[in-house]
Amino acid sequence: MNGYRWNHKRVYRIYRELELNLRIKSRKRIIREKPEPLAVPEAINHCWSMDFMHDQLADGRSFRLFNLIDDFNREALAMDIDLSLPAERVVRALNQVIEWRGKPQAIRSDNGPEYISSKLVLWAEKHGIRLEHIQPGNPQQNAYVERYNRTVRYDGLGHYLFESISEVQEHATRWVRTYNHERPNMALGGIPPNRNWPSRPDFYFWRVLKMEGLPLTPSVYAEQLASKTVTFTQGSKASCY
């Protein structure tokens, strides 16, 4: 090399010692899978969805909520609350619901450690239930329970400070009862998820029965609705409906 004390061989040797001769790899383009559309269930117990939520007690301790709903009518089937909810607790909650409701054809969830554990997989195989895990990074594939979680957060948990787990569980039990039987759900045409009524106007008739203090069991309500024998006293609260 003209004008310098070193030649090209020395320059190349130092060039290699500094690893400047390594090829610069171009970044590979990430191939993203096309998200699968959200399946629409056709009947009750066709598909359930489950998910976890997190919140804190008044003293700062974190606790978890296990939510389970039926995708068909958005009915809340279980809300289990504790400081820790491993896979065993998930299986226990599912067994308790199946005892009174029957088993679903499939259960949808994300890819959390509790949902991909061998204990839950073996339990599902034993009961003939299909586990459907959403694609990673696509929570919209579990949109039914994600929307329900928002309702729980803003309508159930966000208004109170809880001192203990038992207090949270007691409040959650009452809230789930109200959500299933009284709270209108706009996705269902303005009627509650646990609907035993053939049309929307009958929902308001059911509210009148409640205000009059009459029995509200589905069988009694169905008989009263069929016969239309319910009578109201003078000055009844039903005048507002």
Side-chain angles (χ1 to χ4, degrees):
M1 300 180 68
N2 299 330
Y4 294 96
R5 298 177 53 186
W6 53 80
N7 58 18
H8 68 280
K9 293 184 291 185
R10 183 177 182 183
V11 172
Y12 184 66
R13 184 175 69 253
I14 297 175
Y15 177 77
R16 295 191 60 181
E17 289 177 356
L18 296 176
E19 296 183 351
L20 298 177
N21 63 323
L22 298 180
R23 182 173 61 88
I24 300 177
K25 295 182 179 180
S26 59
R27 297 181 60 180
K28 293 184 178 180
R29 185 179 180 85
I30 299 177
I31 301 177
R32 299 187 181 275
E33 298 180 3
K34 184 178 180 180
E36 297 178 0
L38 181 64
V40 179
E42 300 177 353
I44 290 177
N45 288 347
H46 183 270
C47 182
W48 295 354
S49 292
M50 56 184 179
D51 197 15
F52 282 109
M53 292 179 60
H54 300 264
D55 209 332
Q56 287 186 335
L57 298 175
D59 58 7
R61 289 184 297 166
S62 298
F63 64 88
R64 306 183 76 189
L65 297 88
F66 171 71
N67 292 328
L68 179 68
I69 67 169
D70 192 311
D71 291 353
F72 179 74
N73 62 345
R74 316 297 200 275
E75 181 179 358
L77 305 179
M79 184 182 292
D80 203 1
I81 301 170
D82 210 334
L83 298 177
S84 176
L85 292 172
E88 292 84 355
R89 293 289 298 274
V90 173
V91 171
R92 188 181 76 174
L94 293 173
N95 284 328
Q96 292 174 348
V97 175
I98 289 176
E99 286 181 1
W100 61 269
R101 188 181 179 84
K103 65 180 182 180
Q105 298 180 21
I107 301 178
R108 182 186 295 109
S109 67
D110 56 26
N111 296 273
E114 297 84 3
Y115 300 141
I116 62 175
S117 67
S118 58
K119 294 181 179 180
L120 184 61
V121 173
L122 293 176
W123 174 87
E125 293 178 352
K126 178 181 177 181
H127 290 78
I129 299 174
R130 185 176 70 259
L131 295 179
E132 297 182 353
H133 297 100
I134 64 175
Q135 295 172 300
N138 291 280
Q140 70 275 9
Q141 295 179 357
N142 206 13
Y144 294 125
V145 73
E146 292 289 350
R147 179 61 181 86
Y148 172 75
N149 289 346
R150 180 183 183 277
T151 302
V152 174
R153 176 75 63 189
Y154 288 99
D155 292 356
L157 298 178
H159 301 285
Y160 304 95
L161 284 176
F162 302 100
E163 300 292 339
S164 63
I165 294 296
S166 59
E167 184 179 351
V168 183
Q169 186 68 71
E170 181 180 354
H171 172 77
T173 302
R174 294 196 305 267
W175 185 88
V176 168
R177 171 69 182 177
T178 302
Y179 172 84
N180 283 338
H181 296 271
E182 300 180 20
R183 183 182 183 275
N185 193 311
M186 294 300 102
L188 304 176
I191 62 176
N194 192 357
R195 52 181 176 180
N196 295 293
W197 312 281
S199 61
R200 182 174 179 178
D202 293 328
F203 167 62
Y204 297 100
F205 184 74
W206 174 84
R207 290 188 63 183
V208 172
L209 293 180
K210 178 186 177 183
M211 295 175 65
E212 294 299 323
L214 298 176
L216 297 178
T217 59
S219 58
V220 173
Y221 172 75
E223 294 175 0
Q224 294 172 341
L225 183 61
S227 60
K228 299 293 185 179
T229 57
V230 179
T231 57
F232 302 104
T233 60
Q234 186 176 5
S236 170
K237 299 177 184 177
S239 59
C240 63
Y241 291 90

